[in-house]
């Protein structure tokens, strides 16, 4: 099982987070990918108020973001969008104008670009024999 | 072999070499108690589960093997919590076995149900809720492995009643499979060589020996390092007894109530070698002001401790004994350190531990400590409770044998001493064990005197009765302008009658000249013995490093604190006003 955790803190604090995570018996690997080239993706479902006059505009905006409309109802649409958190934030800003009835976001998952798979955190490796 | 979960637990205990367990039965755990007498395990019935947890803790620290406690579901299990947290904070190896309501009832607020695994997540190294009987052998094997390896700690195994009753095949595993757990024991040789070079070159080095030296049983290696390289040694509270207290290289305990010499040495050093310690705030003072002129080598088995509180120049993750052994092989001739030792001897001459002034022939805690030392010559295990007496003992009792000082350091749990001493005495049957407790902590657990009496534990108990919650009273005096609130413990009980009620031989001492004779009489007495020492009510422990200040600002004695001392120590700011810190955080 893989968990992606976004941490906001000083270098020392983040180093402690990594080390404390390692202390959890079930945890096998912790990878700090902050500095790496990563693909980061998040998914959001956004229920937007839509009237006959606004529906096509919303759909066009969805196209711009390569988002999809996954539900249509008389007064609303559900837009599904994936992308970086920044892209999702931007989509939300744009759709806010129409009235957002409901929204749910997954939080971000990340994967390091290139062929390698997660290595143990550098710091811990250097400290061990 | 097919058997029920209760038997599996007992088989596992025997396989793990457990000879004594501490517990108290209840509804959910009855199936375990039903089969326990069939196994070669002595069960000590406690009077409160907190006692069981502390007994397992003291036992674990004294044997360096795992201490085991057990309790029933709900309130029984929850009563263990402070004891588990105490053990976990001090890295003591403890396994706690609790029963829970049947799996079908879990989560329904059933009778005596508690989410003990949820409750103990933050205070244990690991815990288990066993949902299937067939998992028990593996879980028990893992629990003991986790409790005693790497950085030891408390492990809780919660077993629902139907899992205790249910049957499955029992085969005790011969190995553990924990891919996420692989503690490092051999230190990185590159780091060790780096450390060796720094040690050889240091002109003002200091070793800080912590609990890890005792856990790793590395006191011989520590001594060799100190002697061969001529490096003075300081102890943290939990490191006390890892280095002989009468050795010329020993500077005493460091920290909030450490010796002035130890505090100055750490502050003025150009190299700190931390072995099995964790640079805790009580030991180190203000983190940002710690050892400003020193490079720091930190040897510890837990990588999370390295770099946590203070910067580290040479981190070495590993078992203290193994790392020190490798380090000793790498070390060449050290540079001359005469100047450093001259400075240290000067500090020792100027700032010996200050006596506690007694008026009118009052008895003081240092008198009691001196009497016990005189009578035992250090041939005893001393288990202390929490408070002023704890600090006095750590400062002033010359521990000469390794692992003879047991105390709750990290959590500072009052009530630790009596049950932990019971555990230690059971772990060390032929030896003298002294429980030293203040009247505050003692009252929290004195029902366990029943255990001492009934199990005939030949424990010697020194009850240091100052009729106050002493340490809190000291803080109110120094930091809250003598606003004494809720610290008065005068009045009942009559401790002699308490001892008599439990059938324990007891003495009461109120004068210094009576201390040693009473101690000798208690030790000559073949069974358990209690001495109530009625000491001066308003002792203050000095030296003292006030929270938020650095070790260099250690307050040397009472006069220094009140600002009336005409000659403040050379390395410390003159203190014109009495000590007071608004917004003082514990």
């Amino acid at each position: 099982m893989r968990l992606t955790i976004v941490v906001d803190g000083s270098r020392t604090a983040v180093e402690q987070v990594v080390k404390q995570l390692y202390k959890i018996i079930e945890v096998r690997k912790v990878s700090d990918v902050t500095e790496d080239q990563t693909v980061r993706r998040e998914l959001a479902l956004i229920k937007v108020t839509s009237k006959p006059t606004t529906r096509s505009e919303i759909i066009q905006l969805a196209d711009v973001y390569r988002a999809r409309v996954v539900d249509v109802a008389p007064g609303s649409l559900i837009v599904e969008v994936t992308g970086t958190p920044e892209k999702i934030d931007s989509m939300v800003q744009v759709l806010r104008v129409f009235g957002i009835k409901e929204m749910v976001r997954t939080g971000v998952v990340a994967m390091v670009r290139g062929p390698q798979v997660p290595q143990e955190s550098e710091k811990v490796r250097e400290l061990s024999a | 072999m097919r058997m029920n979960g209760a038997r599996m637990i007992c088989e596992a205990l025997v396989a793990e070499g457990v000879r004594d367990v501490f517990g108290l039965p209840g509804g959910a755990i009855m199936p375990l108690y039903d089969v326990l007498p069939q196994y070669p395990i002595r069960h000590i019935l406690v009077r409160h589960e907190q006692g069981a947890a502390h007994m397992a803790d003291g036992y674990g620290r004294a044997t360096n093997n795992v201490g085991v406690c057990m309790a029933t579901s709900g309130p029984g299990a929850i009563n263990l919590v402070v004891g588990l947290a105490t053990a976990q904070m001090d890295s003591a190896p403890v396994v706690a076995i609790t029963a829970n309501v049947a799996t079908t009832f879990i989560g329904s607020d059933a009778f005596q149900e508690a989410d003990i695994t949820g409750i103990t997540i933050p205070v244990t190294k690991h815990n288990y809720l066993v949902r299937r009987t067939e998992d028990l052998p593996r879980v028990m094997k893992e629990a003991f492995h986790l409790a005693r390896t790497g950085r030891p700690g408390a492990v809780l195994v919660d077993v629902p009643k139907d899992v205790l009753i249910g049957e499955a095949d029992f085969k005790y595993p011969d190995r553990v499979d924990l891919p996420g757990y692989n503690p490092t024991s051999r230190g990185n040789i590159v780091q060790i060589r780096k450390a060796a070079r720094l040690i050889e070159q240091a002109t003002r080095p200091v070793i800080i020996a912590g609990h890890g030296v005792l856990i790793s049983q590395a006191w011989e290696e520590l001594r060799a390092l100190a002697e061969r390289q001529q490096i003075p040694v300081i102890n943290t509270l939990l490191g006390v007894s890892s280095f002989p207290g009468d050795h010329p290289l020993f500077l005493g305990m460091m920290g909030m109530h450490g010796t002035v010499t130890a505090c100055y040495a750490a502050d003025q050093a150009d190299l700190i070698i931390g072995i099995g310690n964790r640079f805790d705030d009580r030991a180190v003072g203000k983190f940002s002001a710690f050892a400003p002129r020193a490079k720091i080598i930190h040897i510890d088995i837990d990588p999370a401790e390295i770099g946590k509180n203070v910067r580290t120049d040479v981190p070495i993750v590993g078992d203290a004994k193994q790392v020190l052994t490798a380090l000793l092989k790498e070390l060449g001739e050290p540079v001359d350190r005469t100047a450093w030792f001259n400075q240290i001897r000067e500090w020792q001459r100027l700032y010996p531990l200050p006596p506690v002034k007694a008026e009118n022939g009052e008895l003081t805690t240092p008198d009691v400590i001196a009497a016990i030392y005189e009578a035992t010559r250090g041939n005893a295990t001393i288990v202390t409770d929490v408070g002023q007496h704890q600090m006095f003992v750590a400062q002033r009792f010359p521990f000469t044998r390794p692992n003879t000082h047991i105390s709750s350091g990290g959590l500072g749990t009052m009530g630790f001493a009596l049950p932990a001493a019971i555990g230690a005495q059971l772990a060390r049957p032929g030896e003298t064990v002294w429980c030293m407790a203040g009247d505050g902590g003692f009252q929290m657990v004195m029902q366990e005197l029943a255990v001492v009496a009934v199990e005939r534990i030949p424990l010697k108990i020194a009850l240091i009765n100052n009729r106050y919650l002493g340490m809190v009273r000291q803080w109110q005096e120094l930091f809250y302008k003598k606003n004494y609130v809720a610290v008065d413990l005068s009045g009942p009980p009559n401790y002699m009658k308490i001892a008599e009620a439990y059938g324990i031989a007891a003495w009461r001492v109120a004068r210094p000249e009576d201390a040693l004779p009473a101690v000798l009489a208690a030790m000559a007495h073949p069974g358990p013995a209690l001495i109530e020492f009625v000491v001066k009510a308003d002792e203050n422990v000095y030296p003292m490093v006030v929270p938020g200040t650095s070790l260099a600002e250690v307050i040397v004695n009472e006069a220094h604190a009140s600002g009336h001392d005409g000659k403040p120590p050379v390395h410390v700011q003159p203190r014109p006003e009495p000590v007071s810190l608004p917004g003082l955080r514990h």
Side-chain angles (χ1 to χ4, degrees):
Chain A
M1 190 177 75
R2 174 166 167 152
L3 292 174
T4 307
I5 303 173
V6 177
V7 178
D8 186 15
S10 65
R11 186 159 303 155
T12 337
V14 172
E15 197 181 295
Q16 266 298 297
V17 170
V18 171
K19 289 177 173 178
Q20 293 296 334
L21 285 171
Y22 265 114
K23 280 178 88 160
I24 299 174
I25 304 294
E26 290 94 336
V27 169
R28 299 192 197 191
K29 270 186 189 153
V30 180
S31 305
D32 181 356
V33 300
T34 313
E35 309 295 324
D36 295 330
Q37 295 288 325
T38 49
V39 177
R40 300 177 188 197
R41 292 290 180 266
E42 192 180 342
L43 180 144
L45 294 174
I46 308 167
K47 186 176 282 181
V48 190
T49 311
S50 94
K51 302 195 276 267
T53 45
T54 56
R55 184 173 301 143
S56 40
E57 192 183 341
I58 296 172
I59 294 173
Q60 279 167 7
L61 285 167
D63 282 338
V64 171
Y65 282 87
R66 292 185 315 263
R68 297 193 341 213
V69 174
V70 294
D71 182 63
V72 183
S76 68
L77 291 173
I78 296 182
V79 175
E80 173 194 311
V81 57
T82 61
T84 63
E86 295 73 33
K87 173 182 167 186
I88 312 264
D89 291 339
S90 166
M91 168 117 257
V92 170
Q93 279 289 83
V94 158
L95 291 178
R96 188 160 281 153
V97 173
F98 301 94
I100 292 180
K101 299 182 111 182
E102 189 182 347
M103 179 170 75
V104 61
R105 289 172 74 153
T106 59
V108 74
V109 294
M111 186 175 282
V112 177
R113 294 178 183 275
Q116 74 271 33
V117 290
Q119 297 299 316
E120 271 182 47
S121 165
E122 273 306 315
K123 198 81 198 190
V124 178
R125 214 156 21 127
E126 146 196 319
L127 292 180
S128 316
Chain B
M1 235 188 86
R2 203 158 172 78
M3 63 178 76
N4 69 15
R7 284 189 184 284
M8 287 192 182
I9 292 174
C10 296
E11 294 283 342
L13 292 177
V14 171
E16 293 292 341
V18 174
R19 292 192 324 271
D20 305 278
V21 303
F22 308 93
L24 195 143
I29 203 173
M30 285 174 71
L32 178 54
Y33 275 83
D34 193 47
V35 298
L36 190 56
Q38 299 166 26
Y39 292 85
I41 297 171
R42 178 178 181 184
H43 177 271
I44 307 287
L45 175 62
V46 304
R47 300 299 181 271
H48 188 289
E49 291 90 347
Q50 177 185 356
H54 289 320
M55 285 177 207
D57 184 341
Y59 189 96
R61 294 188 207 207
T63 55
N64 239 337
N65 197 351
V66 179
V68 179
C69 57
M70 47 181 67
T72 192
S73 64
I78 297 180
N79 275 343
L80 294 173
V81 175
V82 72
L84 297 180
T86 305
Q88 177 64 10
M89 277 287 253
D90 288 345
S91 310
V94 168
V95 165
I97 300 164
T98 56
N100 208 332
V101 299
T103 50
T104 43
F105 284 94
I106 288 180
S108 69
D109 285 337
F111 177 65
Q112 292 197 329
E113 180 193 355
D115 177 10
I116 193 64
T117 42
I119 289 168
T120 55
I121 284 175
V123 295
T124 51
K125 182 171 176 180
H126 194 53
N127 65 19
Y128 296 88
L129 171 58
V130 186
R131 294 184 186 273
R132 303 177 316 170
T133 308
E134 52 263 39
D135 292 334
L136 263 173
R138 173 187 60 82
V139 166
M140 292 297 289
K141 178 87 181 170
E142 286 178 11
F144 277 85
H145 181 77
L146 289 169
R148 65 160 72 96
T149 58
R151 180 178 184 179
V155 178
L156 181 137
V157 180
D158 192 30
V159 192
K161 194 167 183 177
D162 52 342
V163 176
L164 282 177
I165 295 171
E167 293 193 359
D169 278 312
F170 177 83
K171 185 180 173 311
Y172 204 58
D174 51 17
R175 74 191 59 192
V176 290
D177 177 33
L178 289 167
Y181 179 74
N182 191 12
T184 310
S185 45
R186 281 189 37 229
N188 181 308
I189 192 65
V190 171
Q191 299 291 90
I192 290 174
R193 288 195 178 122
K194 232 163 118 178
R197 301 293 81 80
L198 284 178
I199 293 171
E200 286 158 358
Q201 298 302 315
T203 50
R204 303 192 310 279
V206 139
I207 290 172
I208 298 177
H211 195 198
V213 174
L214 293 171
I215 295 174
S216 175
Q217 302 187 48
W219 43 80
E220 300 293 351
E221 289 78 4
L222 168 65
R223 190 173 175 150
L225 175 64
E227 286 175 352
R228 282 190 225 163
Q229 290 289 311
Q230 283 297 295
I231 306 174
V233 176
I234 295 171
N235 276 149
T236 60
L237 173 65
L238 248 56
V240 166
S241 82
S242 65
F243 196 75
D246 55 1
H247 195 288
L249 288 170
F250 185 59
L251 305 190
M253 178 174 74
M254 73 188 289
M256 180 173 277
H257 288 294
T259 64
V260 174
T261 307
C263 291
Y264 284 174
D267 182 70
Q268 297 285 316
D270 68 346
L271 181 68
I272 302 264
I273 307 159
I275 309 172
N277 67 316
R278 58 187 176 96
F279 295 105
D280 168 77
D281 61 271
R282 279 338 202 215
V284 147
K286 193 160 153 199
F287 295 139
S288 55
F290 177 67
R293 292 154 267 264
K295 287 204 153 44
I296 297 179
I297 298 170
H298 192 185
I299 300 166
D300 200 87
I301 197 156
D302 183 354
E305 292 299 341
I306 297 184
K308 181 182 83 174
N309 287 336
V310 302
R311 76 206 177 274
T312 309
D313 297 280
V314 185
I316 306 177
V317 177
D319 169 80
K321 196 180 179 85
Q322 293 188 43
V323 171
L324 289 179
T325 305
L327 180 61
L328 284 164
K329 290 204 191 77
E330 298 290 326
L331 283 164
E333 279 302 304
V335 299
D336 177 69
R337 296 187 175 123
T338 320
W340 183 223
F341 279 100
N342 287 341
Q343 172 63 273
I344 286 173
R345 301 299 172 217
E346 180 70 1
W347 285 329
Q348 286 173 319
R349 191 182 65 78
L350 286 170
Y351 313 116
L353 284 168
V356 173
K357 279 202 229 359
E359 286 109 39
N360 313 318
E362 282 173 302
L363 182 63
T364 66
T365 304
D367 291 334
V368 177
I369 296 170
I372 294 178
Y373 179 72
E374 180 65 37
T376 59
R377 282 282 134 205
N379 255 321
T381 298
I382 310 288
V383 183
T384 56
D385 206 272
V386 169
Q388 294 180 311
H389 69 281
Q390 175 192 32
M391 294 294 104
F392 279 131
V393 169
Q395 287 176 339
R396 292 157 201 254
F397 191 95
F399 288 92
T400 47
R401 289 166 60 228
N403 204 16
T404 49
H405 172 248
I406 295 176
S407 199
S408 169
L411 198 62
T413 310
M414 287 175 68
F416 175 75
L418 177 60
I422 292 171
Q425 179 76 89
L426 279 166
R428 298 178 173 176
E431 300 185 23
T432 304
V433 176
W434 272 94
C435 159
M436 299 181 68
D439 49 317
F442 190 74
Q443 288 191 68
M444 294 189 180
V445 291
M446 58 187 189
Q447 75 279 348
E448 305 304 323
L449 286 174
V451 176
V452 175
V454 165
E455 304 285 346
R456 288 198 253 270
I457 312 223
L459 185 61
K460 311 298 171 190
I461 303 166
L463 169 55
I464 300 177
N465 185 4
N466 65 354
R467 280 94 50 227
Y468 270 106
L469 282 176
M471 189 57 93
V472 180
R473 192 210 58 74
Q474 175 170 344
W475 279 53
Q476 287 174 344
E477 180 184 322
L478 294 179
F479 307 125
Y480 291 87
K481 304 189 178 29
K482 302 193 178 176
N483 184 17
Y484 300 121
V485 179
V487 287
D488 187 342
L489 291 176
S490 59
N494 175 327
Y495 291 103
M496 293 300 99
K497 289 197 175 165
I498 298 275
E500 190 192 349
Y502 283 101
I504 293 175
W507 291 257
R508 192 167 193 270
V509 169
R511 292 178 326 186
E513 57 270 25
D514 296 333
L516 183 57
V519 169
L520 290 168
M523 287 181 61
H525 182 81
L530 181 148
I531 309 176
E532 178 191 355
F533 292 99
V534 183
V535 304
K536 173 178 151 73
D538 56 352
E539 290 176 313
N540 281 327
V541 186
Y542 285 103
M544 181 172 192
V545 177
V546 167
T549 65
S550 73
L551 296 182
E553 298 171 82
V554 58
I555 300 174
V556 172
N557 55 30
E558 195 105 36
H560 184 205
S562 61
H564 296 317
D565 187 352
K567 243 181 357 107
V570 170
H571 299 279
V572 174
Q573 298 299 322
R575 196 173 289 285
E577 300 122 18
V579 176
S580 99
L581 280 177
L584 186 69
R585 188 178 68 91
H586 66 278

